[in-house]
Amino acid sequence: MQTGEAVTIVHGEHELFERTMHLFASATDVACAANDLFTWAGARMTEDHSELYRRQRPGTARIRKVYRSGMLLDPVAAQTLARARDQHGAQIRITSEEINETIVLDRRLVILAGDLSAGHRSFSIITQPEAVQGVTSLFEAAWRSATDLSVYDTQIAEIRQLAPQVLDLLGQGVKDEAAARTLGLGVRTYRRRVAELMAALGAESRFQAGVRARELGLV
């Protein structure tokens, strides 16, 4: 562990889990932004935080989460988010924009996720008020521009069913006409589905869509 003025660096999810669980237990306002379910899931973070939510009295904590839209292409991830909303009262919104993977507790403490390196990730725990305020403002901006989970899930339901096949065809380099025939779609419809898939993945090209899909474990 490395410590600086109002900033503590921890290495690995297990250490983060051990140092912050008590903070989640007492928090009344939890804001979280993540690209996928894995950033905060190490060392049982997701399940144990859910257990904390269950132990809290109803209405005592506001839990808000913003996730990248590509997650909803995975049926299991989509179900996990729906369960967090329905069983634990979390407010969940979806964005196709890049986000800083962050947790904000009671607007007094921020946890920033670092890049994954050699299978491990470092995390910065920040209590410096001005830094916390700045990160909180970024989260609030992302929250305001994001779409409610139920709305986005309805929009993406059809492409989620086709995503595995479309990604496989794209990965094989199958031409649009042949891919459309394989799926029983018109070429224009197929291309529209590909565009919708790229949008959900936050990709600007088919190649980038494939890279992002692999990052999310969709292929």
Side-chain angles (χ1 to χ4, degrees):
M1 180 184 71
Q2 302 172 7
T3 301
E5 184 178 353
V7 178
T8 299
I9 308 298
V10 299
H11 302 285
E13 291 87 348
H14 181 76
E15 184 179 0
L16 175 66
F17 174 82
E18 293 297 330
R19 292 183 64 86
T20 61
M21 278 300 292
H22 67 288
L23 301 174
F24 282 87
S26 60
T28 59
D29 191 304
V30 180
C32 172
N35 288 317
D36 51 49
L37 289 176
F38 308 114
T39 301
W40 308 110
R44 310 176 314 282
M45 289 283 289
T46 298
E47 289 303 317
D48 286 351
H49 285 172
S50 295
E51 179 61 29
L52 283 175
Y53 300 156
R54 285 192 287 271
R55 292 204 301 266
Q56 289 172 329
R57 297 188 304 278
T60 60
R62 179 175 68 157
I63 303 165
R64 294 181 297 160
K65 299 185 176 185
V66 177
Y67 286 105
R68 287 291 297 277
S69 53
M71 283 185 53
L72 291 188
L73 293 171
D74 180 354
V76 174
Q79 292 172 4
T80 299
L81 295 189
R83 185 165 59 249
R85 176 195 62 196
D86 298 338
Q87 296 183 7
H88 308 310
Q91 302 174 49
I92 299 177
R93 294 185 181 181
I94 306 298
T95 181
S96 60
E97 302 296 325
E98 293 284 345
I99 55 177
N100 296 307
E101 296 193 286
T102 307
I103 290 177
V104 183
L105 299 180
D106 291 329
R107 298 175 177 264
R108 293 186 301 176
L109 180 143
V110 162
I111 303 170
L112 297 178
D115 293 332
L116 190 65
S117 177
H120 298 282
R121 193 186 300 271
S122 62
F123 300 87
S124 301
I125 303 174
I126 302 171
T127 56
Q128 205 276 338
E130 288 78 10
V132 171
Q133 182 179 4
V135 174
T136 301
S137 296
L138 290 175
F139 176 86
E140 294 297 341
W143 177 259
R144 288 192 298 270
S145 63
T147 303
D148 184 80
L149 172 62
S150 60
V151 174
Y152 196 90
D153 192 56
T154 298
Q155 296 172 351
I156 207 173
E158 189 170 358
I159 189 59
R160 179 167 56 224
Q161 294 178 341
L162 290 173
Q165 297 163 283
V166 173
L167 288 168
D168 182 56
L169 292 166
L170 290 176
Q172 296 180 49
V174 177
K175 293 185 180 298
D176 288 359
E177 292 76 8
R181 285 196 299 270
T182 298
L183 297 177
L185 303 173
V187 176
R188 292 180 61 183
T189 300
Y190 172 75
R191 288 173 176 164
R192 184 169 67 251
R193 294 294 182 244
V194 171
E196 292 169 349
L197 178 61
M198 289 171 55
L201 290 168
E204 297 181 358
S205 69
R206 294 185 177 193
F207 174 79
Q208 190 180 25
V211 172
R212 182 59 181 152
R214 285 191 291 274
E215 291 174 349
L216 289 171
L218 298 175
V219 294

